[in-house]
């Protein structure tokens, strides 16, 4: 995860060592995840996730944008299908949705410079990336404020944790498809704006979210969560 000083040093290093060949590709891959309903998470945690998942990518992109414009390069962002819906990790979903909109604006603005912007949208690769370890209901309960404990109970938290852990256990154990998509985004003469790398049922859920009215999808997701 780059901080401002790290980015400035990296940029100067690249200018010094690659001035003859140019700086052609940037991949923004930093990301962290956690579990919890909206009121369970502290403001500090929201700020941390926004800083890493969203502002970290923006910070790095802005630092290298002059070089990428100069050499007509590529910028690749790691998003997720969770940008379209949320199942217990709204904080992660929020940052990915924001990255999608940042990329949409950047992609249009960079066309006139010959810079191509691509988004990778993986499905559930939790078992491969280890981005989200299994959650502990006991730890979640102990971190809840007194106000939240007055609304929820341990049984509810345990059921949620079991549900979320079951999702994690279904994740793919190999990330080769995601890596292939990243390589294609960097090397293809005509890269896609979006690469959705997900299972069929995940893609169906995404397309349902895009096509069906919100009230319908809220009912579908609420029903799924209740089970």
């Amino acid at each position: 995860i780059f901080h401002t000083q790290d980015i400035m040093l990296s940029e100067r290093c690249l200018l010094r060592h690659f001035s003859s060949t140019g700086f052609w590709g940037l991949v923004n891959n930093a990301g962290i995840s956690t579990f919890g309903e909206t009121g369970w998470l502290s403001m500090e945690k929201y700020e941390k996730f926004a800083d890493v998942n969203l502002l970290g990518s923006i910070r790095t992109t802005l630092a290298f944008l002059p070089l990428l414009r100069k050499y007509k390069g590529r910028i690749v962002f790691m998003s997720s299908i969770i940008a379209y819906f949320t199942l217990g990790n709204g904080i992660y979903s929020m940052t990915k949705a924001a990255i999608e909109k940042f990329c949409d604006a950047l992609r249009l603005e960079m066309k006139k410079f010959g810079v191509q912007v691509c988004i990778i949208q993986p499905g559930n690769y939790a078992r491969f990336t280890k981005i989200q370890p299994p959650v502990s209901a006991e730890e979640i309960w102990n971190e809840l404020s007194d106000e939240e404990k007055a609304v929820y109970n341990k049984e509810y938290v345990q059921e949620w944790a079991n549900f979320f852990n079951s999702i994690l256990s279904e994740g793919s154990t190999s990330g080769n498809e995601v890596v292939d998509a990243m390589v294609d985004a960097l090397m293809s003469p005509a890269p896609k704006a979006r690469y959705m790398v997900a299972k069929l049922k995940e893609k169906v859920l995404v397309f349902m979210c895009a096509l069906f009215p919100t009230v319908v999808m809220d009912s579908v997701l609420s029903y799924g969560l209740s089970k």
Side-chain angles (χ1 to χ4, degrees):
I1 301 170
F2 283 128
H3 296 288
T4 303
Q5 289 183 339
D6 298 325
I7 293 170
M8 292 174 64
L9 290 171
S10 299
E11 185 178 12
R12 286 198 293 268
C13 178
L14 286 169
L15 283 171
R16 183 170 65 251
H17 292 289
F18 299 104
S19 58
S20 60
T21 57
F23 182 75
W24 195 78
L26 173 66
V27 178
N28 287 300
N29 188 47
I32 53 176
S33 179
T34 193
F35 162 82
E37 292 198 1
T38 302
W40 298 359
L41 307 172
S42 66
M43 190 61 211
E44 289 75 19
K45 187 158 287 187
Y46 277 99
E47 291 172 347
K48 177 182 178 181
F49 273 72
D51 190 52
V52 175
N53 292 2
L54 175 60
L55 299 181
S57 293
I58 295 174
R59 194 179 294 123
T60 307
T61 299
L62 293 180
F64 292 110
L65 206 54
L67 287 172
L68 291 160
R69 282 196 300 250
K70 180 179 179 180
Y71 295 106
K72 302 184 186 302
R74 305 276 179 92
I75 313 175
V76 181
F77 291 85
M78 188 61 64
S79 179
S80 170
I81 63 167
I82 208 70
Y84 296 93
F85 57 88
T86 178
L87 293 172
N89 54 351
I91 191 171
Y92 183 71
S93 178
M94 172 193 74
T95 59
K96 293 304 181 182
I99 276 291
E100 292 266 347
K101 294 300 115 182
F102 175 74
C103 291
D104 285 344
L106 186 66
R107 185 178 63 256
L108 292 173
E109 294 165 1
M110 290 298 105
K111 279 183 175 294
K112 56 182 172 287
F113 300 107
V115 176
Q116 302 197 62
V117 178
C118 305
I119 302 172
I120 312 297
Q121 299 172 315
N124 184 0
Y125 284 86
R127 292 173 66 193
F128 174 73
T129 64
K130 304 295 191 296
I131 190 173
Q132 173 66 64
V135 298
S136 165
E138 188 69 26
E139 290 179 6
I140 294 170
W141 178 257
N142 291 336
E143 291 178 0
L144 293 184
S145 66
D146 292 338
E147 291 81 2
E148 295 301 308
K149 287 181 178 178
V151 176
Y152 299 94
N153 55 52
K154 283 188 176 181
E155 290 74 19
Y156 179 85
V157 175
Q158 185 65 64
E159 288 176 359
W160 250 116
N162 292 343
F163 169 76
F164 196 68
N165 286 334
S166 70
I167 293 178
L168 295 178
S169 68
E170 296 175 358
S172 299
T173 57
S174 172
N176 293 340
E177 304 96 338
V178 179
V179 175
D180 289 344
M182 294 169 70
V183 172
D184 192 80
L186 287 170
M187 305 302 294
S188 173
K192 301 176 183 178
R194 282 177 168 82
Y195 292 79
M196 187 176 294
V197 190
K199 298 175 182 176
L200 178 59
K201 65 178 182 179
E202 294 171 331
K203 291 181 178 180
V204 169
L205 184 55
V206 168
F207 287 123
M208 288 175 63
C209 288
L211 296 175
F212 286 18
T214 300
V215 65
V216 173
M217 288 312 302
D218 281 353
S219 298
V220 171
L221 292 172
S222 294
Y223 178 80
L225 292 174
S226 68
K227 297 301 181 181

